[in-house]
């Protein structure tokens, strides 16, 4: 169909990314259907419905003006910090952590929303900070406070994985804003020195066990090492083309824990093999390439930091989850974007996509200002 006959509101969408993303979500729904033993309504139906709702939300976000993003950065950050405090006071407890707020119609995990929230507020901060001051301590202390408050509240839940994800997005924005490299190298060196102290005095028992199991999974294959052992069995048994849809023994016989959330990639790999895994990686590569291209072509400093930060937030989700299920990182409870079942995670990633779409629209409209 000629482009002239396509409504402008439809034609201007980044279909080169949205269509592969829709394919990934549909693939995820098929994997969830298999994990539920062929019961589509168990997880797959809500997975698809959430994606449709949040895709519409992303398209609405993409139409928002840049000035609104700037004005809302601090208020949104403040509301999210307040929600994190409410989690500490009245939040629901599950899996040994206090992470959720029951809103009646849905269960909300505020720490998930803080991942794009911290990127937004730091992008705003560095956009109003004169470029000449990025080499001074004025560029570091306010940003450290903006990061330390939510990261500290999330660590108290305790939720180490989400705390690291929030910190990662913040550090990416700070690095791209032009802070001196020596500060990051110094922080990394200090982290290495402090890691043993944190291991013994700050981490909870179950978190220490996860680190020890990561270093030696075979030390307790039926206890703390059970998750990763069964995950690697599932991935390895899939081979090149997998066992076939609905034929995964690890998930169907309940050997693989959390087969529909954190370990959904292992569920997929057992039935679809390496070819299924390559499809997932190609879709993520298309998303990352698009996000970084949008950031590179962004019209001003705020837009560049915002698009790059949102892109790298999605990257952190994907990278840590895949490393975790393959035994290359400790189990930290981070879901795989657009495949794992979960509303808060889906909402967070679609907020990131919607924000990148907004920056792309601002680029087409021309530079807002030089910064």
């Amino acid at each position: 169909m000629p482009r002239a006959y396509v409504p402008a509101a439809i034609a201007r969408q980044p279909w080169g990314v949205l269509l592969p993303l829709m394919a990934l979500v549909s693939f995820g729904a098929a994997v969830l259907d298999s994990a539920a033993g062929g019961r589509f309504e168990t997880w797959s139906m809500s997975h698809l419905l959430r994606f449709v709702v949040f895709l519409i939300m992303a398209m609405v976000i993409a139409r928002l003006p840049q000035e609104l993003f700037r004005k809302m950065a601090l208020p949104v950050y403040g509301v999210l910090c307040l929600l994190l405090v409410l989690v500490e006071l009245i939040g629901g407890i599950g899996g040994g952590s206090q992470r959720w707020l029951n809103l009646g119609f849905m269960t909300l995990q505020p720490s998930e929303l803080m991942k794009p929230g911290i990127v937004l507020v730091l992008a705003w901060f560095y956009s109003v900070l004169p470029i000449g001051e990025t080499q001074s301590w004025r560029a570091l202390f306010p940003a450290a406070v903006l990061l330390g408050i939510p990261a500290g509240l999330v660590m108290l839940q305790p939720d180490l994985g989400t705390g690291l994800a929030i910190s990662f997005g913040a550090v990416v924005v700070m690095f791209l804003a032009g802070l001196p490299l020596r500060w990051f190298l110094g922080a990394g060196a200090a982290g290495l020195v402090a890691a043993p102290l944190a291991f013994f005095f700050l981490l909870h028992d179950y978190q220490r066990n996860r680190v020890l199991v990561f270093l030696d999974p075979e030390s307790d294959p039926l206890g703390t090492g059970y998750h990763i052992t069964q995950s690697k069995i599932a991935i390895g048994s899939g081979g090149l083309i997998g066992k076939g849809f609905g034929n995964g023994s690890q998930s169907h016989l309940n050997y693989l824990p959390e087969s529909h959330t954190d370990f959904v990639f292992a569920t997929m790999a057992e039935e679809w093999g390496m070819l299924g895994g390559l499809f997932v990686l190609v879709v993520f590569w298309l998303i990352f390439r698009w996000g970084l291209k949008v950031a590179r072509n962004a019209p001003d400093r705020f837009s560049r930091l915002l698009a790059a930060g949102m892109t790298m937030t999605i990257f952190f989700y994907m990278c840590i989850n895949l490393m975790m299920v393959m035994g290359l990182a400790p189990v930290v409870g981070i879901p795989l974007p657009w495949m794992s079942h979960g509303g808060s995670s889906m909402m967070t990633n679609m907020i990131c996509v919607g924000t990148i779409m907004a920056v792309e629209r601002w680029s087409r409209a021309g530079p807002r200002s030089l910064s």
Side-chain angles (χ1 to χ4, degrees):
M1 180 181 293
R3 184 181 178 89
Y5 295 103
V6 179
I10 297 178
R12 62 173 168 249
Q13 305 299 331
W15 294 110
V17 170
L18 292 182
L19 290 178
L21 182 56
M22 292 175 184
L24 180 63
V25 172
S26 300
F27 186 41
V31 174
L32 293 174
D33 177 76
S34 176
R39 296 182 295 275
F40 183 80
E41 67 281 358
T42 302
W43 295 315
S44 300
M45 182 178 294
S46 60
H47 183 74
L48 293 175
L49 288 176
R50 286 168 176 165
F51 176 72
V52 171
V53 171
F54 294 140
L55 177 60
I56 295 172
M57 176 198 69
M59 291 181 174
V60 171
I61 292 174
R63 301 302 301 163
L64 299 178
Q66 185 185 116
E67 194 59 35
L68 182 60
F69 274 80
R70 290 174 176 267
K71 289 181 178 179
M72 293 302 294
L74 273 178
V76 166
Y77 172 81
V79 169
L80 291 177
C81 285
L82 177 61
L83 291 176
L84 289 175
V85 172
L86 289 177
V87 168
E88 290 298 313
L89 298 176
I90 60 173
I93 298 176
S97 298
Q98 191 171 358
R99 305 178 185 177
W100 296 272
L101 288 176
N102 189 348
L103 303 181
F105 62 95
M106 69 173 290
T107 300
L108 180 68
Q109 187 176 351
S111 57
E112 282 289 326
L113 298 178
M114 184 53 81
K115 295 174 185 177
I118 193 67
V119 170
L120 174 62
V121 74
L122 287 180
W124 166 81
F125 169 72
Y126 286 113
S127 70
V128 299
L129 183 75
I131 294 180
E133 295 191 7
T134 56
Q135 302 293 312
S136 72
W137 292 101
R138 296 186 187 90
L140 179 62
F141 281 134
V145 172
L146 289 171
L147 169 61
I149 293 173
L153 289 171
V154 170
M155 294 291 189
L156 289 175
Q157 294 180 0
D159 188 353
L160 180 61
T162 301
L164 291 175
I166 293 171
S167 301
F168 179 81
V171 170
V172 166
V173 174
M174 295 166 71
F175 178 78
L176 295 178
L179 271 65
L181 179 60
R182 65 179 182 276
W183 290 358
F184 297 95
L185 296 177
L192 291 176
V193 172
L197 296 176
F199 178 82
F200 288 106
F201 298 108
L202 296 181
L203 295 185
H204 294 258
D205 290 340
Y206 78 93
Q207 293 171 331
R208 283 195 291 270
N209 288 336
R210 287 179 176 180
V211 175
L212 294 174
V213 166
F214 161 67
L215 297 174
D216 185 11
E218 308 304 324
S219 61
D220 189 11
L222 298 180
T224 53
Y226 184 79
H227 287 67
I228 191 59
T229 300
Q230 297 302 320
S231 177
K232 291 194 289 187
I233 291 174
I235 295 173
S237 64
L240 178 63
I241 60 174
K243 297 179 178 178
F245 177 67
N247 294 324
S249 58
Q250 292 298 108
S251 58
H252 289 190
L253 297 178
N254 295 323
Y255 288 116
L256 182 64
E258 307 297 337
S259 60
H260 65 296
T261 53
D262 296 347
F263 290 89
V264 70
F265 184 84
T267 303
M268 179 282 302
E270 184 181 21
E271 298 187 359
W272 298 87
M274 188 175 72
L275 295 181
L278 288 176
F279 167 74
V280 173
L281 292 177
V282 167
V283 173
F284 278 116
W285 174 75
L286 291 173
I287 295 171
F288 298 145
R289 186 184 67 168
W290 166 67
L292 294 177
K293 180 180 178 181
V294 169
R296 188 171 61 250
N297 297 331
D300 53 63
R301 184 176 176 82
F302 174 74
S303 304
R304 286 193 296 272
L305 295 177
L306 189 61
M310 296 296 181
T311 301
M312 296 311 295
T313 295
I314 299 173
F315 173 81
F316 186 87
Y317 263 103
M318 182 275 296
C319 187
I320 296 300
N321 179 272
L322 295 187
M323 291 177 65
M324 176 184 74
V325 300
M326 291 186 286
L328 302 177
V331 177
V332 290
I334 291 181
L336 183 62
W338 298 295
M339 289 195 68
S340 294
H341 185 263
S344 295
S345 171
M346 179 79 77
M347 181 190 301
T348 299
N349 286 292
M350 292 310 293
I351 289 174
C352 292
V353 169
T355 303
I356 299 170
M357 291 167 61
V359 174
E360 188 175 42
R361 185 178 66 82
W362 302 339
S363 300
R364 290 197 301 266
R368 175 188 179 278
S369 63
L370 294 177
S371 56

